[in-house]
Every structure is written in C-alpha cells, then in structure tokens.
Amino acid sequence: SQTIHQWPATLVQPVGSPLSLECTVEGTSNPNLYWYRQAAGRGLQLLFYSVGIGQISSEVPQNLSASRPQDRQFILSSKKLLLSDSGFYLCAWSVGGLGEKLFFGSGTQLSVL
Amino acid sequence: KNQVEQSPQSLIILEGKNCTLQCNYTVSPFSNLRWYKQDTGRGPVSLTIMTFSENTKSNGRYTATLDADTKQSSLHITASQLSDSASYICVVSARSNYQLIWGAGTKLIIKP
C-alpha cells in the first residue's frame, strides 16, 4: 500500500534562517507531488506541484522553492525565512492526472520567530 | 472569480445527533467536488468525490449531495460520534486546468 512521510512534525525557526522540509512517498511510481500551505481559518493554498523528477511548477510567487531530486522525494526550501512563512505545510501525492484524488502527509507546523 | 464558501464556520452538536454542512461554489467549468475531513494537526483525508452527473454519494455515516444547477453541496453526518470532531473541507476542481479551489472548512465539535 502507498504511504507518505513528511517531517519534521513541528519546527521553530528564527527569521532569516534556512528551511528544508522533506516528503517521501512509498508504494507508487511517478506520482504527482504537491506542497500546500494552510493558514489558520483559510483554505489550503497550493505552493508547488511536480509531475516528474526535476519538474517543478510554482503557483504563487514567494520566498520558498521546491525540488524533486528523486521520483518519490519532494523538498520544500527557503534560504531565509520570513515571519510570513509561518503556517502548516502539507505534502500530498496523486497518480494519473492532476485532478485525481489527493493523499496528504501529516503536515509540518512551522513557526518563524 | 472561482470561490468556495462553506457554512457554518463552526458547529457544536451533541454525540448521536445528525448535522449538515454546506458548501457553495462559483467554480466554472466544473469538474468535480470533494469533501475532506481534517483532524487537528493532521493532513486532510478524502471522504467523497462527486462529478457533475452524481447527485449523492455516501461513505459510511457521511452522505454528500451535489446540485450542479445551484452550485451547492452538502455533507450530512448521521449519528455523530466523538471521532467526527474535525474540520470538514469542501474542494472544487475546475475542469479547464484541474485547479483545486479549497474552502476554509467547517470546524465541527461533537460533545458527549
């Protein structure tokens, strides 16, 4: 069966520090991978998606970047965190078209102080 | 503008009671509508997915309805349990680019 691992679960970082969140998927090949951010009381916001190794699409301009070095690995990064980067970050995967059912990781609560 | 609005924002009911959550959308062209359950501090989990031609879909005690003419959906929970306490999120997919438009969710609290 397929599983998705996302870590860490919580992270507290100072402003200006770098960020690296990692997500890996097991039990499936060539998944579509996504990074979402969820602010309190708001709907999920799609940050990046990837349909294959090295292929990254960005949905909103921001202080973050994403990379997909392996088929089932998706990384969210920042060189210098801002206060506004605080939020709940979710990794997700799907197979088939981009409109297919999403399966989410357990999320990372990032607090930038 | 593509939007998804959910109501109520929050809801408290007693264990064993039924409840209905609402979702209105303005997404066009419509592809499908999904309901997700999100426990606090966890990722969302899919409950139902409905396409244009589907009026109702059930998943255990959860029943979703869709009226594509009025662009409304509802999620009915029967005989609520404490484990139903969560946020319920309505998501609409646009057929043109498979963009997902997420509602802000309804926070449901079940009290014993």
Side-chain angles (χ1 to χ4, degrees):
Chain A
S1 63
Q2 301 91 351
T3 56
I4 179 169
H5 302 280
Q6 186 182 341
W7 68 92
T10 59
L11 190 59
V12 180
Q13 292 282 96
V15 169
S17 64
L19 172 74
S20 180
L21 302 181
E22 189 163 341
C23 172
T24 58
V25 180
E26 295 177 358
T28 187
S29 296
N30 196 30
N32 302 313
L33 296 173
Y34 310 79
W35 277 111
Y36 280 89
R37 178 167 59 202
Q38 186 176 32
R42 306 277 303 267
L44 270 68
Q45 179 186 37
L46 179 63
L47 302 176
F48 302 95
Y49 68 91
S50 170
V51 298
I53 296 174
Q55 300 178 60
I56 308 296
S57 295
S58 174
E59 287 295 294
V60 293
Q62 59 207 311
N63 184 42
L64 302 168
S65 62
S67 61
R68 185 171 177 172
Q70 301 180 44
D71 181 45
R72 288 169 287 180
Q73 184 185 29
F74 206 22
I75 298 172
L76 183 70
S77 304
S78 173
K79 292 182 180 177
K80 288 185 178 182
L81 284 169
L82 306 172
L83 288 174
S84 57
D85 291 324
S86 294
F88 190 53
Y89 289 83
L90 288 157
C91 180
W93 67 273
S94 69
V95 291
L98 288 173
E100 295 301 317
K101 183 175 174 180
L102 291 173
F103 298 89
F104 285 87
S106 54
T108 296
Q109 183 65 53
L110 172 66
S111 299
V112 183
L113 305 176
Chain B
K1 181 181 177 183
N2 288 333
Q3 283 186 315
V4 174
E5 295 187 355
Q6 294 186 242
S7 61
Q9 191 172 16
S10 62
L11 181 63
I12 302 174
I13 64 171
L14 292 175
E15 185 180 11
K17 298 295 185 182
N18 304 335
C19 66
T20 300
L21 314 180
Q22 300 292 341
C23 173
N24 296 337
Y25 62 92
T26 58
V27 177
S28 182
F30 175 88
S31 176
N32 60 63
L33 185 145
R34 314 158 186 218
W35 283 94
Y36 280 84
K37 178 186 179 187
Q38 184 177 22
D39 293 320
T40 301
R42 307 290 293 179
V45 174
S46 179
L47 293 176
T48 62
I49 299 177
M50 288 184 292
T51 60
F52 184 88
S53 59
E54 296 176 292
N55 301 116
T56 184
K57 183 165 280 189
S58 293
N59 178 357
R61 293 179 296 101
Y62 301 102
T63 299
T65 64
L66 174 64
D67 185 334
D69 291 332
T70 62
K71 298 187 177 180
Q72 295 179 324
S73 175
S74 64
L75 180 69
H76 186 75
I77 304 175
T78 305
S80 61
Q81 300 176 358
L82 296 179
S83 59
D84 293 331
S85 294
S87 286
Y88 292 84
I89 306 173
C90 176
V91 190
V92 180
S93 175
R95 181 156 39 90
S96 54
N97 58 5
Y98 300 107
Q99 179 189 16
L100 296 180
I101 296 91
W102 294 76
T106 292
K107 186 177 177 70
L108 176 64
I109 298 172
I110 310 297
K111 292 207 165 184

